[in-house]
């Protein structure tokens, strides 16, 4: 079967584009369109002129938490035109920043969407902070530590020892904040590392990835992923990115009562 030619880069007259499954091309995406219902989408925003893109800025800033952002900068000689937009980038939390539209191909963006952040615990912590799920410095500190230790820690008992605290004390921190139990945070951190490994593993068998992550087998890992995150390994191989998986976990914890609905009114 002959592969259909994909769009090489962003269209010259398109400032907002969407990349989604099957990740073969970029489609124009106007601010009056509804966000896609399927997971794994990436919004791509090309900066051209700050005075003409105010409405786009608001639209991108208000995007769903499950949709990461790629920002494409103009040529160096035109950068002054977009300085006010560049100043807003920290608030926009872009996952990807490209220096020129020539690099904004579907293949390149697909590759970058699947990549693990340089510091996965920090990226997860920032996402949770943006979602207002880290209400106090103590909670932020404990969640950050759990996420850092999660790739090499299998049980809550081992986690407590490594954090120099007791399971009961650690549990009280989260229960008083209306947040999931420490064991859920630990398994969440472990599984999020697995998610990005799956997306970058090519055709590597799931059971091999499970063994690398210290699970007894792929079946056990898949069941725990479905139970805690609401997705299967086959899902995260199809739909790329990790933000939508975090949002799936948050929805699951809300349904299970792990997150206090009254305290955290999440959209």
């Amino acid at each position: 079967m002959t592969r259909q030619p994909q769009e090489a880069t962003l269209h010259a007259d398109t400032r907002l584009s969407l990349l989604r499954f099957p990740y073969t091309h970029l489609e124009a995406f106007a601010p009056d369109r509804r966000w896609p219902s399927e997971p794994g989408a990436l919004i791509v925003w090309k900066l051209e002129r700050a005075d003409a893109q105010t409405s786009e800025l608001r639209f991108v800033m208000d995007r769903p938490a499950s949709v990461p952002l790629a920002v494409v900068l103009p040529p160096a000689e035109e950068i002054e035109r977009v300085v006010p937009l560049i100043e807003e980038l920290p608030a926009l939390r872009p996952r990807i920043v490209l220096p020129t539209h020539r690099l904004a191909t579907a293949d390149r963006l697909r590759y970058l969407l699947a990549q693990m952040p340089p510091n996965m615990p920090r990226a997860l912590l920032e996402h949770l902070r943006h979602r207002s799920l880290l209400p106090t410095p103590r909670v932020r500190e404990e969640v950050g530590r759990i996420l850092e230790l999660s790739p090499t820690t299998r049980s809550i008992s081992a986690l407590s020892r490594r954090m120099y605290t007791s399971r009961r004390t650690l549990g009280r921190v989260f229960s008083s904040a209306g947040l999931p139990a420490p064991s859920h945070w630990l398994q969440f951190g472990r599984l999020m590392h697995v998610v990005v490994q799956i997306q970058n593993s090519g055709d590597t068998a799931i059971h091999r990835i499970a063994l690398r992550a210290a699970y007894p087998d792929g079946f056990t890992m898949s069941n725990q992923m479905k139970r805690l995150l609401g997705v299967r390994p086959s899902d995260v191989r199809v739909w790329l990115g990790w933000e939508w998986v975090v949002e799936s976990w948050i929805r699951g914890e809300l349904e299970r009562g792990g997150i206090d609905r009254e305290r955290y009114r999440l959209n």
Side-chain angles (χ1 to χ4, degrees), residues 33-67:
R33 283 184 58 184
R34 299 181 66 178
W35 289 99
S37 58
E38 73 272 19
L42 172 74
I43 187 71
V44 185
W45 190 31
K46 183 171 66 171
L47 305 189
E48 290 182 347
R49 295 188 62 92
D51 57 357
Q53 294 185 267
T54 303
S55 62
E56 294 170 13
L57 172 65
R58 291 195 296 268
F59 176 71
V60 171
M61 188 170 290
D62 293 338
R63 70 189 186 279
S66 59
V67 180

Side-chain angles (χ1 to χ4, degrees), residues 123-134 143 147 185 188 246 249-250:
L124 291 173
L125 202 66
E126 176 58 25
H127 187 96
L128 295 165
R129 185 202 62 78
H130 171 71
R131 298 292 275 135
S132 301
L133 282 171
L134 305 174
V143 170
L147 294 176
W185 288 100
F188 164 70
V246 175
W249 174 70
I250 291 173

Side-chain angles (χ1 to χ4, degrees), residues 53-189:
Q53 294 185 267
T54 303
S55 62
E56 294 170 13
L57 172 65
R58 291 195 296 268
F59 176 71
V60 171
M61 188 170 290
D62 293 338
R63 70 189 186 279
S66 59
V67 180
L69 168 68
V71 171
V72 184
L73 300 176
E77 61 272 16
E78 299 175 13
I79 204 74
E80 289 186 4
R81 299 179 181 178
V82 299
V83 167
L85 298 177
I86 292 175
E87 292 173 347
E88 297 288 345
L89 289 188
L92 291 174
R93 302 169 295 105
R95 170 96 92 83
I96 301 164
V97 178
L98 295 174
T100 171
H101 74 276
R102 294 185 182 88
L103 297 178
T105 64
D107 280 342
R108 185 181 298 273
L109 288 166
R110 180 191 185 282
Y111 169 80
L112 293 172
L113 180 60
Q115 293 304 296
M116 179 185 291
N119 188 322
M120 187 70 182
R122 182 179 299 173
L124 291 173
L125 202 66
E126 176 58 25
H127 187 96
L128 295 165
R129 185 202 62 78
H130 171 71
R131 298 292 275 135
S132 301
L133 282 171
L134 305 174
T136 67
R138 175 71 185 278
V139 170
R140 289 194 291 273
E141 180 182 353
E142 301 292 16
V143 170
R145 187 69 177 135
I146 291 173
L147 294 176
E148 288 175 357
L149 294 172
S150 62
T152 57
T153 308
R154 298 177 60 180
S155 70
I156 191 65
S157 296
L159 176 70
S160 300
R161 289 195 299 271
R162 296 186 68 180
M163 295 181 68
Y164 302 101
T165 187
S166 69
R167 295 179 59 174
R168 183 173 296 179
T169 299
L170 195 58
R172 281 199 297 265
V173 171
F174 290 96
S175 63
S176 63
L179 292 172
S183 59
H184 284 213
W185 288 100
L186 173 61
Q187 299 308 323
F188 164 70

Side-chain angles (χ1 to χ4, degrees), residues 187-195 215 224-225 228-229:
Q187 299 308 323
F188 164 70
R190 292 184 70 197
L191 289 168
M192 288 307 301
H193 278 81
V194 170
V195 165
Y215 289 93
Q224 187 169 47
M225 186 177 289
L228 192 70
L229 302 184

Side-chain angles (χ1 to χ4, degrees), residues 195-215:
V195 165
V196 292
Q197 289 176 37
I198 291 172
Q199 294 186 2
N200 289 277
S201 64
D203 296 328
T204 303
I206 293 299
H207 79 271
R208 291 189 178 182
I209 298 173
L211 293 177
R212 291 175 191 166
Y215 289 93

